[in-house]
Amino acid sequence: MNRVKLIQLLLLIPLLNYGQLKVNNAVIKKYENAFNKLKLADQQAINQQREKEEQFGFSVVTFFKIDTLNSEDIIHNNSFVVIEDLNSKITSSRDSKEEQSSYTPVVTLATLQNDTLLLSIGGFFLEGIIHKIYFGNVSSSYKEYFKYDSILRLHLNDPKVSALIVPAKTKVFAISSLDFKPGTTIYGEVELETDPYYTDAFGFKNNYIKKRLRYNYVFKVRVPKNST
């Protein structure tokens, strides 16, 4: 999928929750501090990638948690509860919660369409977080995907699907600048919470987990040229 098709796809995504942007240069220092806490090998890999392809940016996830909202349905003496994080790494947890406080780098892509800046964090095509920034506002969503299984629902009475776009609340979105001039480096800080949604899962009385994802991260991207 080329950049033009990607932009067209992202613009069609219904991002239903909106939040106000705050312009704050302090996010530059916050990103640098988070970057310096990464493993040295990760820092070197990011710097090498930027030298090869300047259009790619990076986010540093500083906090991640899955809230299990139907924990009363867990069958504790039976099986593990399986969950999936932003990088599609499967994790098992007996208490149905997965919390990540270590600093994790995630590839981030910025695209520019007229006055709208799109940020794709963690998965450009099928999974990840999407922010759409325009007119001093930001709207957000989270995309989850299972290639072979239709196990996702936004509401219990919805048909099960393999790909789901989940609206997300942008609780904090601070950005270093609203000047999206091509070539400008933009820094940001985000606190995001998805709406609840459902995934089929073993280990629950009704065979599904009702979950909500929470993320904190900082990012650094370079604004590309307008794409049409």
Side-chain angles (χ1 to χ4, degrees), residues 103-166:
Y103 285 58
T104 306
V106 181
V107 176
T108 299
L109 177 66
T111 54
L112 186 64
Q113 179 69 25
N114 297 324
D115 295 327
T116 300
L117 183 68
L118 301 170
L119 298 179
S120 180
I121 298 167
F124 302 149
F125 309 117
L126 300 174
E127 291 188 319
I129 296 168
I130 295 294
H131 297 296
K132 185 186 294 185
I133 304 167
Y134 53 100
F135 299 122
N137 289 279
V138 58
S139 53
S140 306
S141 71
Y142 172 78
K143 301 179 296 175
E144 188 160 332
Y145 172 75
F146 287 85
K147 185 175 182 179
Y148 298 109
D149 298 308
S150 295
I151 62 173
L152 301 168
R153 289 173 284 176
L154 189 58
H155 307 101
L156 269 180
N157 59 348
D158 291 344
K160 297 178 183 180
V161 295
S162 60
L164 184 66
I165 297 172
V166 183

Side-chain angles (χ1 to χ4, degrees), residues 34-47:
F35 181 84
N36 289 333
K37 291 182 180 180
L38 294 175
K39 297 177 181 178
L40 181 58
D42 289 335
Q43 295 182 36
Q44 293 173 340
I46 290 172
N47 290 331

